[in-house]
Amino acid sequence: MRKSVWFLMVAVGLFSCQNQESNEPVAVFSENEIVLNGIADEPVWETAQWNAISEVWLGEVPNSLDFAGKYKIAWRPDALYLLVEITDDSLVDVYADKFTQWWDDDCVEVFVDANASGGNHQYNHNAFAYHIGLDYQTVDFGPDSVPHLYPHVEAIRTANENTYTWEIKVPIFNDKFEDGNAENLPEVLEANRIIGFAIAYCDNDTSELRENFIGSVKVEGTDKNRGWIDAEIFGKLRLK
Ligand SMILES: [Ca+2]
Ligand SMILES: [Ca+2]
Ligand SMILES: [Ca+2]
Ligand SMILES: [Ca+2]
């Protein structure tokens, strides 16, 4: 085997290893408090790596003006912190009522499974699918099969023309969480913990129903809109 061919094979091998790693995002520890202001003004956002939001779960592959998205993750003992950069040509809030077809308005959707158990979470708190609307109200179904607000998820975004930077705080609650109970406490996070995680964007521009739903993880099979029911499709996030 010629040396140059051998070198090429090693290089391709290294490249695909790196790609595999980027499919399983890593959350970087932040020693500093993270101030939610939609600005990457904390040192941790310089060290955390971008991860893609590019897997089509519903609709067609959007062009980069219609939608583009990427995110970084940091953690502190009290929560995960996300920096999400979304390009979207039109922000729409079709359904003013927060509990009417919230998934058909533009929203960032964050999926977390505290113990990475996977499994069904449609009407239980084995995992959460937080739909964070443009008004920052966060909605998911509860065990009573009706939607609830989850104000423990906090978000703020800034705009630079059609590119929006969201900074989001997601405390991690386990399956003992009770809707309406003020005593729920988030888990205290520690290094090397694994959390089931995915993020997606529901993009609507001019339609009655959302036009695209783009996620961070590849979902096998024809029905890719399974994250709101099945935590099995989430990725595995490691706290570094
Ligand atoms: Ca900030
Ligand atoms: Ca769009
Ligand atoms: Ca779980
Ligand atoms: Ca949109």
Side-chain angles (χ1 to χ4, degrees), residues 113 115 117 126:
D113 174 359
N115 61 352
S117 61
N126 172 32

Side-chain angles (χ1 to χ4, degrees), residues 65-67 88-90 203-205 211:
L65 296 178
D66 181 10
F67 170 80
D88 184 359
D89 48 350
S90 172
D203 184 18
N204 196 353
D205 297 330
E211 295 158 12

Side-chain angles (χ1 to χ4, degrees), residues 48-209:
Q49 301 293 305
W50 285 114
N51 303 279
I53 304 174
S54 58
E55 296 289 340
V56 176
W57 289 355
L58 284 174
E60 306 292 325
V61 178
N63 70 53
S64 60
L65 296 178
D66 181 10
F67 170 80
K70 58 185 181 178
Y71 69 100
K72 294 181 175 188
I73 311 186
W75 68 278
R76 304 232 327 134
D78 64 341
L80 296 181
Y81 292 84
L82 310 177
L83 186 76
V84 187
E85 190 182 292
I86 300 291
T87 300
D88 184 359
D89 48 350
S90 172
L91 293 192
V92 296
D93 192 359
V94 181
Y95 302 94
D97 174 45
K98 58 187 178 292
F99 293 144
T100 302
Q101 285 175 249
W102 56 94
W103 57 87
D104 285 320
D105 287 327
D106 281 321
C107 64
V108 173
E109 192 167 341
V110 177
F111 304 84
V112 288
D113 174 359
N115 61 352
S117 61
N120 182 286
H121 75 93
Q122 185 172 15
Y123 300 125
N124 60 63
H125 290 319
N126 172 32
F128 292 84
Y130 295 121
H131 299 69
I132 310 167
L134 295 178
D135 58 2
Y136 308 129
Q137 297 203 90
T138 296
V139 180
D140 188 22
F141 283 112
D144 52 3
S145 306
V146 299
H148 294 261
L149 286 179
Y150 295 97
H152 55 243
V153 174
E154 299 171 56
I156 197 93
R157 78 176 171 280
T158 54
N160 180 2
E161 297 184 348
N162 288 342
T163 298
Y164 303 89
T165 302
W166 295 67
E167 210 170 15
I168 304 171
K169 177 181 180 179
V170 184
I172 301 300
F173 288 91
N174 63 27
D175 54 11
K176 305 290 185 296
F177 185 91
E178 290 179 9
D179 289 307
N181 181 348
E183 307 296 312
N184 291 305
L185 284 177
E187 305 229 308
V188 178
L189 303 183
E190 293 180 354
N192 296 318
R193 178 170 181 158
I194 304 289
I195 293 172
F197 178 86
I199 184 169
Y201 190 76
C202 300
D203 184 18
N204 196 353
D205 297 330
T206 60
S207 306
E208 191 180 336
L209 307 178

